[in-house]
Amino acid sequence: MKFRTETLVRQVPHTIDGVTHDVPEHYAVALPVLPRDWDQVALRAAASLVLTLTVISVIWSTYCIGILLGRGVGFVAAVVFDLGWIVNILLEWLSRFDPAKRGFSRRLGWSLLAATMGAILWHGLSVGSPALGVVGAGVSLFAKTLWFGVMRFVDRDLSEADAAWVRHEMSRANAALAVAGVRRQVARAEDRAAAELLAAEHLRARLSGAPDKAAANPVNTAPEQPNIVSEEDANEDPEQPNTVPLTRTNTSEHHGPTPSIAYLAREELRSGVSNSVAVANILQVRPDANPASVAATVRRERSKAAGYL
């Protein structure tokens, strides 16, 4: 095994006249050197050579098909023929752990190559040189065949059990992405519902001449923040008996003791409304409450009931 010497720095105590300080000290260590991975070197060399041949193939096919299409923008259209199967090669590499997707990419790649070779052969026949068309099409065929060989070496074949496990993991990850997207849409819908509710309350207050509670106690429709419990809510009894009915009328008049925010939040959540709607309803009953504190209490009570924020 080969070793390489590397200089490192460490802190050591150094004393002068009875005073000690940590000072840097340089020291050398011998670290083992990993042996060269000749398989990886060979794979990189093969990929580099095939890439060079691919560039030549793209230039040649672009020229031939561009001439066939009348030059000018025909050259731009000609690039599509070769870039199509080159992009497909990248997709085949990305699907190396999924045999179904990998098989589709291979079939699509050969179809795209056939279209490119047909166009090059057509160009050779149109200029009266069948040999030019055959050889030009052969260049693209060689490039694609070599890429096929490289990809077969890169492919990672899995057993049936391992492939099933990988599919389950990908399904779980995709489900998490789907749930995140749905929750984002639900959050936007809840915010819109809360905004429409407050707008309706504002219009009703204007028509009836009553004070506008929606304007006096705006609901915070910004993205929910971590639960912040105010001192007022922290002192409330979470197990307060349900002795005060919850009202949703447009008046703050109540008979008997004033219901706590936590109690109102539990009653709202039992009815199945969203957080934003629950906050708006509670502020109608308790216009003296802090909207941010009410929102935090609603989130906390939902967390207790459902086990997640």
Side-chain angles (χ1 to χ4, degrees):
M1 178 179 293
K2 296 182 179 180
F3 293 86
R4 60 183 176 86
T5 302
E6 184 172 338
T7 301
L8 303 178
V9 180
R10 61 188 174 189
Q11 298 292 326
V12 297
H14 184 68
T15 304
I16 297 179
D17 292 337
V19 180
T20 303
H21 293 287
D22 290 337
V23 298
E25 180 186 58
H26 297 270
Y27 65 101
V29 294
L31 301 177
V33 179
L34 291 176
R36 185 179 295 274
D37 188 352
W38 291 106
D39 291 342
Q40 190 69 17
V41 172
L43 179 61
R44 290 179 179 176
S48 300
L49 293 176
V50 175
L51 181 60
T52 302
L53 181 59
T54 301
V55 173
I56 297 175
S57 172
V58 169
I59 295 175
W60 176 256
S61 61
T62 301
Y63 172 78
C64 294
I65 299 174
I67 295 296
L68 184 64
L69 297 179
R71 301 175 183 273
V73 295
F75 289 106
V76 179
V79 177
V80 177
F81 284 84
D82 278 301
L83 291 185
W85 65 265
I86 291 177
V87 171
N88 188 74
I89 288 175
L90 298 177
L91 296 178
E92 184 179 347
W93 181 80
L94 293 175
S95 61
R96 61 191 181 280
F97 297 113
D98 191 332
K101 293 182 180 179
R102 186 174 60 197
F104 174 78
S105 296
R106 286 177 177 174
R107 292 189 298 271
L108 179 61
W110 287 114
S111 300
L112 296 174
L113 175 65
T116 301
M117 293 176 59
I120 295 175
L121 181 60
W122 185 6
H123 168 261
L125 296 177
S126 65
V127 298
S129 177
L132 180 64
V134 172
V135 173
V139 173
S140 295
L141 177 62
F142 291 158
K144 172 60 179 177
T145 303
L146 290 175
W147 273 121
F148 179 73
V150 172
M151 293 306 300
R152 282 184 63 88
F153 184 83
V154 173
D155 287 344
R156 295 294 182 263
D157 295 324
L158 302 175
S159 66
E160 183 177 354
D162 291 340
W165 186 90
V166 170
R167 286 195 300 270
H168 283 300
E169 285 294 298
M170 290 301 301
S171 176
R172 183 182 61 80
N174 292 334
L177 290 175
V179 169
V182 170
R183 287 180 175 173
R184 184 168 56 249
Q185 296 177 15
V186 170
R188 287 198 296 264
E190 289 181 346
D191 290 343
R192 182 173 179 83
E196 292 181 357
L197 178 62
L198 294 178
E201 292 293 336
H202 175 71
L203 178 60
R204 181 182 302 176
R206 290 181 57 187
L207 294 177
S208 63
D212 188 359
K213 298 182 179 62
N217 298 281
V219 177
N220 182 15
T221 58
E224 294 186 352
Q225 303 296 325
N227 289 346
I228 302 176
V229 183
S230 66
E231 182 179 357
E232 172 190 356
D233 295 328
N235 295 327
E236 293 180 351
D237 182 9
E239 302 299 331
Q240 176 180 350
N242 300 336
T243 58
V244 182
L246 176 64
T247 177
R248 295 184 184 178
T249 60
N250 295 322
T251 175
S252 59
E253 295 180 359
H254 298 279
H255 300 285
T258 302
S260 68
I261 303 299
Y263 166 72
L264 295 177
R266 287 195 296 271
E267 289 298 310
E268 285 291 334
L269 295 178
R270 287 195 187 101
S271 65
V273 299
S274 65
N275 288 8
S276 301
V277 176
V279 172
N281 291 337
I282 293 173
L283 289 176
Q284 294 179 30
V285 179
R286 289 284 302 273
D288 59 319
N290 186 346
S293 176
V294 173
T297 303
V298 170
R299 292 195 298 271
R300 186 180 74 248
E301 293 300 327
R302 185 179 293 277
S303 176
K304 292 180 180 179
Y308 60 92
L309 290 177

